[in-house]
Amino acid sequence: MTKLNLKISFSGPLLKTGGKDIQRVAEQTVRDVMSFGEVYLNQRLRPRPSGVFKTLAEAGPKYVSIGNYRRNVLASVDFIRKPLGAVATIDDGNVLYGPWLEGISDRNKTTKFKGYNSFRKAAQEMQKNAGKLLQANVKRFTRKNR
């Protein structure tokens, strides 16, 4: 299974003194980061001009990709109340050829295909954009509470 995990714990004096607002901002940010990752993966796994992800027009009826792998890539977020935190996951639903497409299968060592590294690249993009998403949520929340 190809999987991307995110574990976050919230702590500090602001949360202990009625920091429900901070908790809401943090939870929304976790949802936004995971949604960003899911959209990013969906875009990366779309049909390409070359390779396995071809459209009917590009490949002809015999070799078209039906998008099964892309349909199985889903995000889930669970919030934990004690200790306060979140467990978020994006995975490919245990699609058999998922590790090969990612490039982490033993078969990638014996073939020319080294994988698309989609999950690794998605994790890097999520990390780059998490701060921006947090800032946007903080701004949105502070505007609401003025």
Side-chain angles (χ1 to χ4, degrees):
M1 174 197 317
T2 308
K3 192 180 218 177
L4 204 146
N5 290 317
L6 175 69
K7 292 182 183 179
I8 297 172
S9 60
F10 310 118
S11 62
L14 291 175
L15 286 171
K16 290 178 183 172
T17 59
K20 294 287 183 192
D21 301 332
I22 295 171
Q23 181 181 337
R24 279 189 221 118
V25 168
E27 288 179 356
Q28 185 58 48
T29 302
V30 170
R31 282 189 200 96
D32 291 348
V33 169
M34 294 309 284
S35 178
F36 175 87
E38 192 174 24
V39 167
Y40 181 86
L41 279 167
N42 189 32
Q43 290 170 347
R44 281 199 56 84
L45 297 173
R46 282 196 116 32
R48 304 265 184 238
S50 63
V52 72
F53 299 110
K54 289 187 175 183
T55 64
L56 180 60
E58 293 167 336
K62 190 174 178 184
Y63 301 104
V64 68
S65 169
I66 58 172
N68 181 58
Y69 187 68
R70 188 177 44 142
R71 274 194 307 273
N72 282 288
V73 174
L74 298 171
S76 66
V77 179
D78 295 314
F79 292 101
I80 305 162
R81 296 296 163 217
K82 293 198 180 180
L84 196 57
V87 177
T89 304
I90 301 176
D91 67 33
D92 65 2
N94 285 332
V95 173
L96 184 62
Y97 50 88
W100 179 73
L101 286 176
E102 183 63 15
I104 57 174
S105 168
D106 289 338
R107 290 196 65 202
N108 295 100
K109 295 174 186 167
T110 60
T111 65
K112 288 182 181 181
F113 180 67
K114 298 306 174 198
Y116 292 120
N117 299 305
S118 299
F119 278 79
R120 180 180 57 79
K121 290 175 182 174
Q124 291 168 347
E125 289 298 314
M126 289 166 68
Q127 192 170 14
K128 276 188 215 173
N129 288 287
K132 294 174 194 170
L133 293 169
L134 176 61
Q135 286 177 346
N137 283 330
V138 168
K139 283 181 185 177
R140 189 177 318 129
F141 175 76
T142 52
R143 266 188 252 130
K144 279 184 188 178
N145 293 332
R146 282 186 187 175

